[in-house]
Amino acid sequence: MNITHVGVIGAGVMGKGVAQNLAQTKHKVVLIDISEDILEKAKSDITNNLRFQGFFNKSKQVENYEDIVENIQLTTDYSKLSDVDFVIENVVEKWPIKEQVYQDLDKICKTDCIFACNTSAISITRVGSATNRPSLVIGTHFMNPVPLKAMVEVIRGFHTSEDTIESTKKLLQQMDKECVVVNDMPGFVSNRVLMLTVNEAIFLVMDNVASAEDVDKIFRSCFGHKMGPLETADLIGLDTILYSLDVLYESYNDPKFRPCPLLKKMVDAGLYGQKNGKGFYSYGK
Ligand code: NAD
């Protein structure tokens, strides 16, 4: 049976992309955030993304973008999730906030509704423990920008059932995604490696070994990466990088994950990267 009705929690960088991707692939979406202002901005960002998507990738060009946006119900009211089949949660990478969200979802959603957590580093087993349905909780680590990235890292928590994995694969297929399923440990495969690389690259800039531009140039020119680690950090969001390193540091109790002081300083100064126009680079917003 196709999954048709999906709740998306959080209308930030990732939630907007997930909602857009779902609506584009003919799902009915309920998109939740905490304020009407955030939702209004999300609606206009999604509309613009749909209008200009074809500029970057001709095969992704869409004509009927107004109809697609109509498939997304934007609301601050969690009770609108009472009859969705599947939830993809994308709230900020802070465990106390996510924990409260899962406790609320557990009360509101149908008992067979699957909860997929889009997190950078938080253990899916821990997420499952915040609910009375740990077998229905799974990790779906989407890549940014979601509508343009084919691959999703799927994480099997300690109690995640095979049926939940199969239903999640089905939904991802409906969204035109491929996936790799991995076992649960904080940071999974991708961010256990990537966050260390990004953090060390920030140390290099702080220690005045090289400028951000030169660090990135080395990764692009010498290793053939599409983007250097600091461009990647700006794309993800420096706040999200810091919160993810905090999660990894706390989860493993290992000093190798200590966030670089320059990263903390930039986040304190409000430099979040692409999402608000300034990080290691400027984005002219
Ligand atoms: P973001 O800061 O852009 O957006 C987070 C959104 O969550 C905000 O709009 C905020 O208002 C909303 N929010 C906070 N509390 C809420 C609540 N109680 N109910 C509903 N909405 C709430 O962050 P993001 O980059 O979109 O990251 C979201 C999640 O996805 C994080 O867990 C992050 O680690 C993960 N992630 C991020 C990336 C990336 O490249 N940015 C990639 C993969 C996964």
Side-chain angles (χ1 to χ4, degrees):
M1 207 178 66
N2 277 357
I3 296 157
T4 55
H5 198 184
V6 183
V8 176
I9 321 296
V13 173
M14 297 308 285
K16 281 183 285 203
V18 170
Q20 178 189 325
N21 197 141
L22 282 163
Q24 259 179 284
T25 47
K26 302 191 168 30
H27 299 86
K28 228 170 101 190
V29 180
V30 179
L31 176 58
I32 305 258
D33 209 301
I34 50 177
S35 85
E36 294 297 341
D37 286 353
I38 295 173
L39 290 171
E40 240 167 69
K41 178 165 188 314
K43 188 171 182 178
S44 111
D45 288 350
I46 292 171
T47 308
N48 284 330
N49 283 345
L50 284 164
R51 284 172 66 185
F52 297 119
Q53 195 164 270
F55 282 31
F56 304 107
N57 183 343
K58 273 265 171 260
S59 71
K60 297 266 178 188
Q61 183 142 9
V62 286
E63 308 293 342
N64 56 336
Y65 60 87
E66 276 158 347
D67 297 343
I68 293 173
V69 177
E70 284 298 301
N71 279 337
I72 308 175
Q73 180 186 8
L74 297 104
T75 178
T76 56
D77 180 2
Y78 269 72
S79 74
K80 296 279 188 297
L81 297 166
S82 60
D83 58 353
V84 299
D85 309 310
F86 203 104
V87 166
I88 303 178
E89 172 276 309
N90 316 264
V91 309
V92 63
E93 186 77 354
K94 292 193 170 178
W95 176 238
I97 296 177
K98 285 209 195 274
E99 184 179 30
Q100 184 62 54
V101 166
Y102 281 94
Q103 287 167 353
D104 294 344
L105 290 174
D106 206 28
K107 290 189 202 114
I108 293 160
C109 295
K110 295 187 290 193
T111 52
D112 59 352
C113 176
I114 292 176
F115 296 165
C117 179
N118 186 14
T119 167
S120 296
I122 295 170
S123 153
I124 300 308
T125 307
R126 181 186 274 196
V127 176
S129 75
T131 73
N132 290 309
R133 61 180 85 194
S135 66
L136 295 173
V137 176
I138 192 162
T140 48
H141 180 213
F142 286 86
M143 305 298 139
N144 179 15
V146 178
L148 302 182
K149 296 282 183 173
M151 185 56 76
V152 179
E153 186 181 28
V154 168
I155 304 106
R156 178 194 288 116
F158 187 88
H159 293 291
T160 308
S161 71
E162 283 309 311
D163 282 352
T164 298
I165 293 171
E166 287 313 309
S167 300
T168 303
K169 282 183 176 170
K170 178 90 201 293
L171 178 63
L172 292 174
Q173 199 181 23
Q174 289 172 203
M175 293 174 76
D176 295 330
K177 302 285 184 226
E178 297 164 45
C179 68
V180 176
V181 182
V182 304
N183 291 321
D184 187 33
M185 280 290 244
F188 334 117
V189 172
S190 55
N191 280 338
R192 203 159 146 191
V193 177
L194 179 67
M195 291 299 158
L196 283 175
T197 306
V198 167
N199 199 38
E200 203 56 36
I202 302 172
F203 271 109
L204 284 169
V205 175
M206 186 178 82
D207 293 345
N208 207 20
V209 176
S211 64
E213 288 82 356
D214 284 347
V215 170
D216 284 336
K217 200 189 259 179
I218 286 169
F219 275 79
R220 274 190 266 104
S221 308
C222 304
F223 301 140
H225 290 193
K226 270 197 183 156
M227 297 171 81
L230 299 164
E231 293 166 305
T232 306
D234 271 3
L235 173 69
I236 292 172
L238 299 187
D239 50 345
T240 301
I241 298 278
L242 176 59
Y243 305 151
S244 304
L245 283 161
D246 282 340
V247 168
L248 290 164
Y249 184 65
E250 182 265 335
S251 301
Y252 288 103
N253 295 313
D254 188 332
K256 76 180 175 189
F257 293 111
R258 79 233 175 275
C260 174
L262 175 61
L263 173 63
K264 291 187 180 179
K265 187 173 172 179
M266 290 176 77
V267 172
D268 284 342
L271 274 60
Y272 296 162
Q274 280 194 20
K275 69 170 122 181
N276 72 346
K278 180 116 188 74
F280 287 97
Y281 300 89
S282 296
Y283 300 91
K285 274 189 187 167

